[in-house]
Amino acid sequence: MKAFIKKAEFKQFLKDGITIMIGGFLSNGAPERLIDAILETDVKDLTIICNDGGFETSGSGKLIVAGRVKHLIASHIGTNPTVGTLMQEGKMKVTLVPQGTLVEQIRADGAGLGGVLTPTGLSTMVETGKQIIEVKGIRYLLEEPLHADMALIGGAVADQYGNLRYIKSMRNFNPIMATAADIVIVDPREIVDTIDPEQVITSYPLIDYILEVEN
Amino acid sequence: MKAFIKKAEFKQFLKDGITIMIGGFLSNGAPERLIDAILETDVKDLTIICNDGGFETSGSGKLIVAGRVKHLIASHIGTNPTVGTLMQEGKMKVTLVPQGTLVEQIRADGAGLGGVLTPTGLSTMVETGKQIIEVKGIRYLLEEPLHADMALIGGAVADQYGNLRYIKSMRNFNPIMATAADIVIVDPREIVDTIDPEQVITSYPLIDYILEVEN
Amino acid sequence: MEDKFTIAKRIALELKNGDLVNLGIGIPTIVADYIDPEKRITLQCENGIIGVGPVSETISDLVNAGGISSTIHPGGSFIDSAVSFGLIRGGHVDVTVLGALEVDEEGSLASWIVPGKRVPGMGGAMDLVTGSKKVIIAMSHTNKGQPKILHKCRLPLTGYRKVGLIVTEMAVIEVKSDGLHLVEVHPAYSIEDVVKATEATLIIDHVNVMKGVES
Amino acid sequence: MEDKFTIAKRIALELKNGDLVNLGIGIPTIVADYIDPEKRITLQCENGIIGVGPVSETISDLVNAGGISSTIHPGGSFIDSAVSFGLIRGGHVDVTVLGALEVDEEGSLASWIVPGKRVPGMGGAMDLVTGSKKVIIAMSHTNKGQPKILHKCRLPLTGYRKVGLIVTEMAVIEVKSDGLHLVEVHPAYSIEDVVKATEATLIIDHVNVMKGVES
């Protein structure tokens, strides 16, 4: 972990057209303060990798509603009607990925794998354009790694070293996304002194910056 | 989790020729009481999947020294001289696998993946006989899943539901092996009432039996 | 609409002691209310909960896979999305109950997209139908009078040949290698009613009254 | 043998503030003793420790990758083998220091097997040399008078073209795309001594006195 930062410092990392992973599941565990900080800038043409399209007033949904997203890679977009509208109007590209495949693609990147072979999506539209690999006579889809310029992590309790544990169901995609981006920034709920070594979920070498928590 | 059992019940699950995963790293976190129980039976011709050959007096090494192992799949065998001797004499087959590949092969089985693509072992002897897959112009080895009839898990604190957390560095291969076998049996250090939901590392649906802890 | 309760009640009878079960949103969620308290059933939510409990009135950091504030049962645990889908795809989930727009004679289902109209996305459904040991479809028998059980799905598939059982307000239909077997009919309907409301060919030999229906 | 301390001390100078470092067994372990306390360096053990501390006199449940009882630094954490090798293969480890039997002009190394003689196994070495950002070899320049830095490795490879720097008691050699550059020589030896003890062709332009050597 490099440093605890303020919103203003975070904004300096932003650029038009970058790819950002956003943790959370239907906004549960989403890094809301970092998303709000993006909205305070003019940054646009983002590619967002997130489990879902969030809601119109929370999670990745806020960026979509504000027209900052060029391409959304997600497993589910049903909770944010704006996603469907922008998609139909051709104003935003949407790539739908099975949820288990999405998280495994992110993990593959973070773990230095060239891809994983999954049975999910075989004989469906998901197959389109992908390599099919046979192992012991069974067919699998080759799903390639997903990498981001930046991962925004929420739902966490951080310690002074930058270690994280996660609160309840807010864990979801967060610890996996923390492995697969050039810069990893955390929006924690709370900052404590230390986390027990057996209870750390994301170890500090994976984290670059932590947004300060104002009291 | 099905039940807490005694050594005698565990022995009934054993059969000649089965494949057993044994947790632990150089015996740290190895399920020693379950290994001892195997030695109290006549079971033989075992295939053992373990990070290493243990030591002559601990871990998987005890089964090897007793001549119960037909085939060892491991990443390291340097700490147990008997492994080398039996291998040279043609009395035991040894398959050496890079440690990161070994754990990923076990995870792939437990996670329903047909395999993973890894750069590890490319242009070495490890390549022999394996599919090479190209993704975006880069070559990877296709490493197939590893499954066992039985996984023996150590280094854990169990709760009444069968949830596990692990003590210090004894975690290693244990939680991964707990996903990749038909029967998963735990030799815990301690049994407590409950483990905090955020601190559980292996959830009880993965566990079949837990060896009672005698006081 | 009593129908959804009829369906949920009937499906609850399919769950066995010790099962790990994933309930989709909609009718499947209601199944939880009818589970025999004598049976130890564990409900899994794909966003990362083992042992999810009833929904909660107060907004909390713990949400179910529908994004609704929920609770966790004693012995429950929180996991990340990669571990969660490892369980799902790896065959550790015994039963998945989910809704569908169409099911066909081969046991394929469609549920995630109506091209040009509604695109909620597949979320975790494709992984759930691929990896779960048993897939049960909970749905109304028809949609505005039009059959939903078809010779062949017309909408893009969620899974090819994955369904084991179809439960509607009219009937229980088992999917076998030779086709769809009509095994139970609700007392309010005749076999002819069911056949008329079904496009798919139904194999009819031993038909019973729908279990769990008090007459 | 002062040599191993010379090597360890020189390698310690290569580590940068914030680095995550894996030290292999043997000479690499000693590097820890020479790290500038002003630098925040985190040592990783592949068996699942982030922030491993010095070895411990008393036997404990915490062992390092050599199986020796050890300690953990404040802020450290315990991880499983899949996460550990995810970090390693995924490029999250900045520097790996390990021993070798042979290194060659292409930066390939051999360290895990002497066919027909000694077969310790590759352990985590193949993943470490594949995934780490920088690979440093710590070894004696020769073995019983025979060169270990060769035109081409004769023993089976641990990794093909993975080494970045070779540090011996005689010299520091940088591996570049055009070959091996002799960059530093220990004051006890002449350039000619080094060339004589080396089978590989050394590119010699600017040679400095070995850093960290007090004359």
Side-chain angles (χ1 to χ4, degrees), chain B residues 159-192:
Chain B
D159 75 9
Q160 297 294 341
Y161 301 91
N163 291 312
L164 308 181
R165 64 177 186 80
Y166 297 89
I167 300 166
K168 298 181 179 175
S169 61
M170 299 200 287
R171 189 179 305 186
N172 54 64
F173 278 73
N174 282 303
I176 314 303
M177 289 181 169
T179 68
D182 294 340
I183 308 180
V184 178
I185 305 164
V186 185
D187 170 8
R189 274 292 180 88
E190 191 188 345
I191 298 172
V192 298

Side-chain angles (χ1 to χ4, degrees), chain A residues 41-111:
Chain A
T41 69
D42 297 324
V43 167
K44 59 180 191 307
D45 294 334
L46 299 172
T47 293
I48 298 294
I49 301 172
C50 185
N51 174 62
D52 49 71
F55 297 98
E56 291 180 324
T57 56
S58 69
S60 59
K62 292 190 287 195
L63 295 171
I64 293 163
V65 167
R68 307 302 186 88
V69 183
K70 185 184 63 182
H71 183 189
L72 174 67
I73 301 172
S75 79
H76 192 269
I77 55 173
T79 53
N80 185 343
T82 304
V83 177
T85 308
L86 293 175
M87 189 170 61
Q88 305 290 3
E89 291 173 355
K91 289 182 181 157
M92 184 172 72
K93 182 180 167 187
V94 176
T95 304
L96 286 165
V97 183
Q99 200 169 135
T101 297
L102 183 62
V103 71
E104 205 61 33
Q105 289 181 289
I106 298 167
R107 180 185 182 274
D109 180 79

Side-chain angles (χ1 to χ4, degrees), chain C residues 17-70:
Chain C
N17 193 38
D19 275 355
L20 180 62
V21 177
N22 184 292
L23 301 177
I25 50 178
I27 303 176
T29 307
I30 314 171
V31 172
D33 300 335
Y34 293 98
I35 296 173
D36 178 356
E38 296 293 302
K39 288 182 192 165
R40 285 184 310 109
I41 303 290
T42 302
L43 299 181
Q44 189 249 18
C45 277
E46 66 265 30
N47 57 321
I49 312 167
I50 304 290
V52 70
V55 299
S56 140
E57 296 290 304
T58 52
I59 287 177
S60 81
D61 292 331
L62 195 178
V63 306
N64 65 18
I68 311 297
S69 284
S70 293

Side-chain angles (χ1 to χ4, degrees), chain C residues 7-177:
Chain C
I7 295 169
K9 204 172 170 187
R10 176 61 189 86
I11 290 173
L13 297 174
E14 291 293 309
L15 308 182
K16 291 189 198 71
N17 193 38
D19 275 355
L20 180 62
V21 177
N22 184 292
L23 301 177
I25 50 178
I27 303 176
T29 307
I30 314 171
V31 172
D33 300 335
Y34 293 98
I35 296 173
D36 178 356
E38 296 293 302
K39 288 182 192 165
R40 285 184 310 109
I41 303 290
T42 302
L43 299 181
Q44 189 249 18
C45 277
E46 66 265 30
N47 57 321
I49 312 167
I50 304 290
V52 70
V55 299
S56 140
E57 296 290 304
T58 52
I59 287 177
S60 81
D61 292 331
L62 195 178
V63 306
N64 65 18
I68 311 297
S69 284
S70 293
T71 53
I72 187 165
H73 278 297
S77 49
F78 297 106
I79 55 180
D80 69 45
S81 300
V83 172
S84 183
F85 281 89
L87 288 173
I88 289 167
R89 216 179 23 231
H92 304 283
V93 172
D94 298 290
V95 181
T96 273
V97 184
L98 77 170
L101 300 169
E102 298 175 352
V103 193
D104 71 21
E105 285 171 5
E106 296 185 310
S108 298
L109 74 150
S111 64
W112 68 282
I113 181 171
V114 183
K117 269 185 160 171
R118 222 160 50 82
V119 189
M122 67 290 278
M126 281 195 180
D127 297 283
L128 282 158
V129 301
T130 298
S132 302
K133 285 188 197 139
K134 185 171 188 174
V135 175
I136 302 178
I137 299 298
M139 67 174 191
S140 58
H141 206 96
T142 55
N143 177 24
K144 296 172 190 160
Q146 294 304 308
K148 295 171 68 177
I149 304 171
L150 310 175
H151 289 302
K152 205 151 179 57
C153 288
R154 289 163 203 137
L155 294 170
L157 296 185
T158 302
Y160 175 67
R161 290 180 179 254
K162 301 296 182 195
V163 176
L165 197 74
I166 307 163
V167 179
T168 75
E169 75 284 7
M170 300 183 85
V172 177
I173 295 167
E174 227 179 287
V175 184
K176 291 192 178 174
S177 52

Side-chain angles (χ1 to χ4, degrees), chain D residues 23-46:
Chain D
L23 302 177
I25 50 178
I27 302 176
T29 307
I30 314 171
V31 172
D33 300 334
Y34 292 98
I35 295 174
D36 177 356
E38 296 292 302
K39 289 182 192 165
R40 287 183 311 109
I41 304 290
T42 303
L43 300 181
Q44 189 249 19
C45 277
E46 65 266 30

Side-chain angles (χ1 to χ4, degrees), chain B residues 98-110:
Chain B
Q99 200 169 135
T101 298
L102 184 63
V103 71
E104 206 60 34
Q105 288 182 289
I106 297 167
R107 179 183 182 274
D109 180 80

Side-chain angles (χ1 to χ4, degrees), chain B residues 11-20 38 41-47 67-68 70 149-150:
Chain B
K11 290 177 189 172
Q12 294 176 350
F13 300 130
L14 298 169
K15 267 184 222 140
D16 287 354
I18 63 173
T19 297
I20 305 181
I38 298 175
T41 70
D42 296 325
V43 167
K44 59 181 192 304
D45 295 334
L46 299 172
T47 293
R68 307 302 186 88
K70 186 183 62 183
D149 297 303
M150 189 181 281

Side-chain angles (χ1 to χ4, degrees), chain A residues 31 140 145 175:
Chain A
Y140 295 94

